[in-house]
Amino acid sequence: KAVFQPVFSSDGKEIVWYEALLRIKQKNGEYSSIYPYLDVAKSTGFYQYLTDFILRKSAEAICEFDVDISINISITDIVRPAFITLVDEVYSLIRHKQGKIIFEILESDELVELDKCIWFIDYISHYGFKIAIDDFGTGYSNYCNLINLPIDIVKIDGSLIRKIKTDDNARLLVEGIIHFCKKSNKKTVAEFVEDIQVFESLRNMDIDFLQGFYLSEPAPISECPCPTILP
């Protein structure tokens, strides 16, 4: 099933958009994160159905609640004709709504295929959709991607955010990413904001948006806080 986690303004009071997340049903009836099963889904060719499912569920949520929603995609999706057809169909469904889709591409070695990324970003921009780089800041981090790609939003890797309380190097890196993005007119999001100390630290760094359990856990869209100023 699809659940949705709010992304808040830097003061934690306003919901700006929601991220759509997949949950998988266990034998005991409980739902858990799909993340541990993604490698299996990719190796068996099932991954594309997950992406299509979450995009359709996001379109349904936009039709009902008229909010912006982000979803995770990969280069494999971008080059898949059936996915582009589905993007067209989603636009037709929500074209009269204020809510739009934000596509999040993982910051990885896949981004070396700049031509494909640039084509896709240009294509969706005509629909008013936006693009984000997800998990930026560790592993294959490459500031050249931020220079060469017309990215709207940079989501800083959660492992870095978790370390800013205890690791000065992680803190400096997060501050550097925020500074670079402000200079290049890209918005920044901190994921995994899990306590007040991290929340206050990021506010002081002048982050644009915040996301994490300290502010709100993922839930069905009907149970999420409304996208208005919260008390």
Side-chain angles (χ1 to χ4, degrees):
K1 69 177 181 181
V3 293
F4 300 83
Q5 186 173 35
V7 177
F8 289 80
S9 56
S10 60
D11 59 6
K13 293 183 177 180
E14 182 181 3
I15 297 174
V16 186
W17 77 87
Y18 299 82
E19 180 179 3
L21 301 166
L22 277 169
R23 294 291 182 262
I24 188 168
K25 192 174 185 179
Q26 303 293 334
K27 290 182 178 180
N28 62 4
E30 298 289 328
Y31 283 88
S32 63
S33 171
I34 195 76
Y35 183 79
Y37 307 96
L38 288 181
D39 286 342
V40 174
K42 290 175 181 177
S43 65
T44 58
F46 194 75
Y47 182 82
Q48 66 185 46
Y49 300 107
L50 301 178
T51 304
D52 292 354
F53 173 85
I54 204 71
L55 181 53
R56 289 191 178 97
K57 288 298 180 182
S58 297
E60 291 174 9
I62 291 173
C63 287
E64 185 171 357
F65 297 97
D66 207 2
V67 293
D68 289 352
I69 294 177
S70 64
I71 71 164
N72 291 283
I73 62 171
S74 68
I75 288 293
T76 303
D77 295 313
I78 289 175
V79 301
R80 183 161 53 90
F83 178 73
I84 302 303
T85 299
L86 181 57
V87 171
D88 294 338
E89 293 173 1
V90 164
Y91 173 70
S92 296
L93 285 172
I94 67 174
R95 61 186 301 176
H96 298 302
K97 297 290 184 177
Q98 293 295 316
K100 302 296 181 185
I101 298 289
I102 302 168
F103 292 99
E104 299 184 18
I105 304 176
L106 284 175
E107 210 291 310
S108 70
D109 55 348
E110 292 176 332
L111 286 179
V112 298
E113 300 188 61
L114 289 178
D115 290 346
K116 294 182 177 66
C117 289
I118 290 171
W119 175 86
F120 180 75
I121 294 169
D122 181 66
Y123 188 84
I124 64 167
S125 68
H126 289 94
Y127 288 159
F129 298 162
K130 294 181 179 180
I131 200 80
I133 287 185
D134 195 17
D135 291 346
F136 185 85
T138 61
Y140 297 98
S141 298
N142 186 350
Y143 278 86
C144 290
N145 290 328
L146 301 189
I147 296 171
N148 295 324
L149 292 172
I151 300 296
D152 300 296
I153 300 163
V154 175
K155 300 191 77 174
I156 302 173
D157 187 86
S159 64
L160 281 176
I161 301 302
R162 284 171 163 158
K163 292 177 182 177
I164 63 173
K165 292 190 297 184
T166 58
D167 188 330
D168 289 341
N169 288 328
R171 184 182 182 87
L172 285 171
L173 183 52
V174 171
E175 289 175 340
I177 294 170
I178 293 170
H179 178 75
F180 180 90
C181 289
K182 284 194 179 297
K183 290 293 184 180
S184 55
N185 295 315
K186 303 177 194 308
K187 299 297 184 182
T188 49
V189 183
E191 299 181 283
F192 291 92
V193 180
E194 297 177 345
D195 59 49
I196 191 168
Q197 188 176 347
V198 171
F199 172 74
E200 294 292 350
S201 294
L202 290 163
R203 285 187 64 184
N204 292 332
M205 291 183 200
D206 204 19
I207 193 87
D208 292 303
F209 307 115
L210 299 165
Q211 180 180 0
F213 282 12
Y214 175 69
L215 296 164
S216 180
E217 296 188 17
I221 190 72
S222 60
E223 299 174 16
C224 286
C226 296
T228 55
I229 301 297
L230 301 179

